[in-house]
Amino acid sequence: MVRSLHVMIMYVLCHLGLIFFMFPADIIASTEQGHWFPILIGIIVHFVCLLTYMKGLSFFPTKDILSIFSKSKKGVTFLFFAPILLYLIMAIIITVRAYAEIVTLVFLSHTPLWTIILLLLSVSAYISYKGIEAILRAAFLLFILFFPILLFVLIMSFQNVDWRYAIPFDTDLGFISKPAYFESYFAFAGGFLFLGFVQPFFSYERKNVILSAIFLIPFFLFSVYIPILTLGQASASKAFLPFVLIVDSINIDWLMFDRVTMFFLLSLIAFIILYLSLSLWKAIRIINYYIPKSRPSYLLFGLSVAIFFVCFWIPDWKDVENILFMNSFLRSYVLIVVPLFIYYIGRRLKRKDTNETI
Amino acid sequence: MKLSNKNVIYLICSLLTMVLILSGCWDNKDINHRLLPVSIGVKKVDDQYLVILNIPVPIDGSMETKIVSAKAETVSKAVDTISRNMESDVDLLHVKLIFIEKETAEDGINDIIAGFMRSRDVSPKALVAICDEDLQEFFNNIKINAEKKGLSTYNYFEKNAGWNPDIALTRVWEVFRGIHSYTHDVAIPLIRSGKDTTMDQIGSAILKRGKMVEQISSNETLLYNVFKGESGNGKMEVMEHATVMLLGSKTDNIGRLVNNDAHMESLIKMRVVILETKGEPSLNLIKEEINTLISERYNKLFTKLQENEADVFGMGQFFRNQIPRDELKNWRSDYFKNMKININVKIDIQNEGYLKTT
């Protein structure tokens, strides 16, 4: 089944959910001026990895990333998949915990954290239980419902912009050594892995995925630049969630709602729930591959409960940040090693095929 | 889809659970148990903060104003004390105006503003004003005015209601930016309670890095608003031979750095209509008069600002491309203080009303 549009939308939504929260603060913390440069490097890395990954996958048009290795020994492939699995589970934990904290921070200040964690996890576990088909359909629906709102808020957030804050443009490479910069890759590395998992269920055209990645570039830029242009670097660096702060200070006389932040946040939370369900689904696929006898729904339930307790056990924000930083190593594995490896196997297979036909 | 009995039971159970979750009832306080203050006053007394809240209470179809106050070590503690003593919960979600007493502002309001920015209830777009009389007395007068004469405080600053172009409109996030930014200071409306009106505006306070350093008149505030790009629409100017009304204005600024000295060329374009004349002045004479009036006023204001090293116009913004960021830190003291300003005013008389002017 060709479902390019669904895959495109899924790709966009996953990233949108991740972009507007921690990403701006990380970039602002990693450099003092010329923020376009770290963002650009991130985008280039993102594109290179995406292209390599998709090129590699295109050698196996009907297989997903797991069945590519079906001929190899399971022990060997486990070495390849264990870090991915670990990365996925850690990413889920970080996302659930961080967004639960953000929800309490912005609007549900009295509600206990565990209820929000429970809500995020249960909804996403339910969607992922229904399978990839349901996830992609839900993405389509959420896109129609929430994307216009998001776009409206984004356009409105230009209200207080002073373009001169973008200057000076010149920049240096000092950000490379900052931990915050590596944490910012969370927004880049989060989404693209799923392209390798959907293939037997859906096929998609590579060109379309690249289009949606291009579509995301302005969002990456504006999420950082709108806080900079409104507050200036010196003040924006003091903010924990710079973009949310800017959205909070939008003043629209003619709108009957006082705070547009609520709309903005709820649409992004919906996207995040989608991202979580997708990650859960991927993780279950990997686990199920190694424990084929167990039922996926039990695995899903077990994993969700485990994640719930881990999230509950993380006491404060500093620990979330530490885990996010520790996750950087796994993230670079997912971002660099996985696409390269898939590409390498694909090339080798192709060479073998051509040799055999000759 | 046909449902088996087992599935029906599952469905009913999950729907019932949703009823429990969706009500969101754990610590919810109903609207009739909440007090929503519209304005909050803060004053520093020795080492403690005196916080006064203005709470409108609807009683039998009319509004009554309740003024409550408390003193504590911090603002939030004081609000908490009020909340404890009231029969309902105090919720700062709808605070529109923050009044700070003049003496407190002269000491610096960094901590107060940072507190409001940090807090999740007070919106960063709440307006800040400085009160030039005893805060307690001011709030009591507001109460008297509101109850006897039906005047409200909030509409005074609303752009679509009582706002005038010679009132500075400064929001919490702008004050916050002014505290941290290298090149931006802010002007805040300076008010006191009036005899027949709720408030009398006496000018604006100039805040440098969160400390009130100077006071400017309403006329000068108009220039501040014009410069900021806020429309000066509707403001009258009375001169020797004519009275004109301002329709619109635009400023063009070019900043140049000559031998490490800042030079500023600003061109102010104003569109006016003639309302009244004395005698038979020519158009050129009227233009000449406005020109002298505005440039003199601007020059006086600049001298005042330069003496205090307070850059409320954000002039430093025009030098961002010429001064490196490290030196921009000392923009106020190194450059702004000795900046040369050349102001040109260009007046367009859009029309002269029903009568001709020679």
Side-chain angles (χ1 to χ4, degrees):
Chain A
M1 224 184 324
V2 180
R3 279 282 169 81
S4 288
L5 186 65
H6 285 74
V7 173
M8 271 169 90
I9 288 177
M10 190 68 223
Y11 192 81
V12 169
L13 294 196
C14 276
H15 286 91
L16 282 184
L18 297 173
I19 287 174
F20 287 99
F21 295 99
M22 276 97 90
F23 178 69
D26 286 336
I27 293 287
I28 291 170
S30 60
T31 180
E32 284 247 301
Q33 59 185 50
H35 300 82
W36 58 272
F37 192 57
I39 305 173
L40 187 74
I41 298 229
I43 290 173
I44 290 172
V45 170
H46 176 86
F47 265 92
V48 169
C49 297
L50 178 68
L51 286 173
T52 327
Y53 187 54
M54 282 204 300
K55 183 77 194 158
L57 287 171
S58 71
F59 293 121
F60 314 94
T62 53
K63 282 182 181 171
D64 72 344
I65 190 170
L66 287 159
S67 44
I68 288 173
F69 293 96
S70 54
K71 281 177 198 156
S72 340
K73 272 187 193 144
K74 280 203 170 172
V76 181
T77 61
F78 188 72
L79 282 179
F80 177 72
F81 280 112
I84 300 182
L85 181 64
L86 199 62
Y87 169 76
L88 285 173
I89 293 175
M90 270 175 100
I92 297 168
I93 292 170
I94 293 166
T95 318
V96 170
R97 184 62 176 73
Y99 283 79
E101 194 77 55
I102 289 166
V103 169
T104 42
L105 203 67
V106 184
F107 53 98
L108 295 178
S109 50
H110 299 295
T111 313
L113 204 58
W114 66 267
T115 52
I116 300 167
I117 296 175
L118 189 66
L119 182 78
L120 284 176
L121 264 177
S122 57
V123 176
S124 42
Y126 179 71
I127 302 175
S128 92
Y129 165 70
K130 288 286 175 190
I132 185 71
E133 169 106 26
I135 297 175
L136 291 189
R137 278 171 192 278
F140 195 73
L141 184 69
L142 290 180
F143 183 79
I144 294 172
L145 285 177
F146 291 124
F147 189 72
I149 301 175
L150 187 75
L151 211 58
F152 171 75
V153 175
L154 191 73
I155 291 167
M156 275 302 161
S157 59
F158 280 95
Q159 196 184 45
N160 300 313
V161 156
D162 181 347
W163 292 98
R164 286 179 290 266
Y165 270 122
I167 307 166
F169 287 120
D170 49 329
T171 181
D172 52 49
L173 282 169
F175 59 86
I176 294 286
S177 58
K178 297 267 172 64
Y181 184 63
F182 291 101
E183 283 165 28
S184 82
Y185 273 84
F186 194 59
F188 290 114
F192 79 107
L193 215 55
F194 86 96
L195 295 171
F197 286 83
V198 292
Q199 230 164 28
F201 304 95
F202 299 105
S203 64
Y204 54 87
E205 281 180 38
R206 262 190 291 161
K207 194 182 70 197
N208 289 331
V209 177
I210 292 167
L211 275 182
S212 46
I214 291 172
F215 178 76
L216 283 170
I217 294 177
F219 293 95
F220 279 113
L221 277 173
F222 289 144
S223 70
V224 176
Y225 265 99
I226 290 174
I228 295 278
L229 294 177
T230 315
L231 288 174
Q233 162 71 24
S235 325
S237 63
K238 299 266 186 301
F240 169 56
L241 297 170
F243 198 85
V244 179
L245 187 69
I246 299 303
V247 174
D248 230 357
S249 52
I250 301 175
N251 187 40
I252 312 173
D253 289 333
W254 48 267
L255 198 74
M256 63 178 174
F257 301 105
D258 194 34
R259 284 187 170 182
V260 283
T261 326
M262 217 57 104
F263 297 96
F264 173 75
L265 221 78
L266 286 179
S267 33
L268 289 185
I269 294 290
F271 298 164
I272 278 299
I273 287 178
L274 212 62
Y275 168 75
L276 285 174
S277 59
L278 189 69
S279 303
L280 273 173
W281 178 77
K282 283 184 276 186
I284 294 300
R285 293 266 306 159
I286 295 177
I287 299 176
N288 206 21
Y289 179 72
Y290 288 102
I291 320 174
K293 277 179 194 151
S294 60
R295 292 241 319 253
S297 52
Y298 292 152
L299 284 176
L300 184 66
F301 184 74
L303 186 66
S304 308
V305 170
I307 289 173
F308 174 78
F309 280 107
V310 175
C311 287
F312 191 61
W313 165 78
I314 298 172
D316 60 23
W317 186 260
K318 276 277 161 293
D319 297 298
V320 178
E321 277 189 344
N322 282 340
I323 299 175
L324 194 57
F325 180 65
M326 272 166 10
N327 200 18
S328 300
F329 305 105
L330 286 173
R331 200 175 309 134
S332 41
Y333 173 82
V334 167
L335 206 55
I336 296 162
V337 179
V338 173
L340 280 178
F341 198 62
I342 297 283
Y343 182 72
Y344 167 73
I345 298 177
R347 279 296 295 277
R348 214 179 53 171
L349 184 90
K350 201 182 170 194
R351 217 173 288 145
K352 224 197 266 170
D353 281 356
T354 38
N355 285 345
E356 276 165 15
T357 43
I358 290 166
Chain B
M1 188 171 66
K2 208 168 167 257
L3 292 173
S4 66
N5 275 343
K6 206 172 138 194
N7 278 348
V8 170
I9 293 170
Y10 277 146
L11 199 67
I12 291 174
C13 282
S14 63
L15 285 176
L16 283 177
T17 341
M18 264 179 207
V19 171
L20 284 179
I21 297 171
L22 286 175
S23 67
C25 291
W26 14 73
D27 47 8
N28 195 19
K29 283 188 177 142
D30 283 338
I31 191 93
N32 51 339
H33 297 297
R34 287 194 199 193
L35 290 173
L36 302 163
V38 284
S39 52
I40 176 170
V42 183
K43 173 191 183 177
K44 211 168 181 183
V45 188
D46 303 324
D47 266 350
Q48 291 199 311
Y49 288 104
L50 173 71
V51 173
I52 309 178
L53 298 179
N54 172 356
I55 309 165
V57 189
I59 295 170
D60 298 334
S62 70
M63 276 293 182
E64 282 195 10
T65 308
K66 212 182 244 179
I67 305 287
V68 280
S69 63
K71 210 193 263 182
E73 291 79 24
T74 59
V75 175
S76 50
K77 175 74 188 147
V79 173
D80 192 51
T81 317
I82 294 173
S83 188
R84 195 178 59 210
N85 294 340
M86 304 286 285
E87 69 274 34
S88 313
D89 191 44
V90 173
D91 193 338
L92 295 183
L93 206 66
H94 288 279
V95 169
K96 302 275 180 214
L97 271 171
I98 296 164
F99 295 104
I100 293 163
E101 209 185 87
K102 198 176 162 192
E103 277 83 56
T104 313
E106 278 163 354
D107 277 353
I109 54 172
N110 294 11
D111 293 342
I112 301 174
I113 294 297
F116 284 129
M117 285 298 277
R118 189 187 295 274
S119 87
R120 42 205 94 168
D121 341 312
V122 180
S123 163
K125 65 182 181 204
L127 292 161
V128 187
I130 288 183
C131 178
D132 190 24
E133 66 184 313
D134 185 64
L135 207 62
Q136 197 90 48
E137 214 169 283
F138 175 74
F139 269 79
N140 285 336
N141 286 341
I142 285 183
K143 181 182 157 79
I144 293 167
N145 277 329
E147 283 176 2
K148 293 211 174 124
K149 296 162 193 158
L151 302 165
S152 70
T153 41
Y154 175 53
N155 282 340
Y156 190 81
F157 292 100
E158 272 296 272
K159 252 193 171 168
N160 47 14
W163 180 76
N164 269 53
D166 45 9
I167 302 173
L169 262 189
T170 305
R171 300 177 188 281
V172 174
W173 68 265
E174 285 174 293
V175 181
F176 180 73
R177 178 179 68 180
I179 293 170
H180 298 288
S181 178
Y182 302 156
T183 50
H184 248 294
D185 286 303
V186 283
I188 295 181
L190 194 62
I191 47 161
R192 49 169 58 208
S193 56
K195 272 207 185 101
D196 302 316
T197 51
T198 336
M199 287 181 255
D200 273 356
Q201 199 241 18
I202 40 181
S204 297
I206 298 293
L207 241 69
K208 180 196 166 188
R209 299 228 137 185
K211 254 186 201 167
M212 179 177 164
V213 288
E214 179 64 81
Q215 183 173 332
I216 59 174
S217 68
S218 321
N219 279 336
E220 288 166 327
T221 312
L222 173 75
L223 300 181
Y224 168 71
N225 278 336
V226 164
F227 205 94
K228 259 176 67 181
E230 210 87 62
S231 85
N233 204 343
K235 170 73 185 165
M236 320 260 186
E237 291 296 346
V238 184
M239 291 152 309
E240 203 176 327
H241 287 104
T243 302
V244 295
M245 186 171 77
L246 198 59
L247 284 183
S249 55
K250 221 184 130 196
T251 38
D252 281 324
N253 301 290
I254 300 165
R256 267 181 302 122
L257 213 57
V258 181
N259 299 330
N260 233 11
D261 276 334
H263 287 256
M264 191 82 181
E265 285 287 331
S266 20
L267 175 66
I268 300 159
K269 288 182 201 154
M270 286 181 165
R271 283 186 299 124
V272 298
V273 288
I274 297 175
L275 296 180
E276 283 178 52
T277 51
K278 272 182 203 163
E280 298 261 310
S282 69
L283 279 183
N284 278 339
L285 180 67
I286 296 174
K287 276 190 185 177
E288 198 62 38
E289 272 187 355
I290 311 173
N291 209 324
T292 8
L293 182 83
I294 300 286
S295 13
E296 258 175 30
R297 209 185 276 164
Y298 255 114
N299 283 327
K300 233 172 95 187
L301 177 59
F302 270 120
T303 333
K304 216 185 229 180
L305 293 175
Q306 283 183 322
E307 271 167 25
N308 290 299
E309 301 174 13
D311 186 7
V312 291
F313 292 104
M315 293 279 192
Q317 292 291 76
F318 297 94
F319 293 90
R320 289 190 85 91
N321 50 350
Q322 294 161 54
I323 302 174
R325 209 181 141 72
D326 293 336
E327 286 176 39
L328 206 63
K329 267 179 196 154
N330 310 319
W331 158 257
R332 290 181 178 94
S333 53
D334 290 1
Y335 296 92
F336 182 69
K337 202 177 180 188
N338 308 313
M339 188 168 80
K340 306 255 181 329
I341 303 152
N342 192 7
I343 288 165
N344 297 304
V345 186
K346 191 170 172 285
I347 305 287
D348 284 325
I349 297 181
Q350 192 170 316
N351 65 55
E352 299 143 38
Y354 281 138
L355 295 181
K356 278 188 195 165
T357 317
T358 42

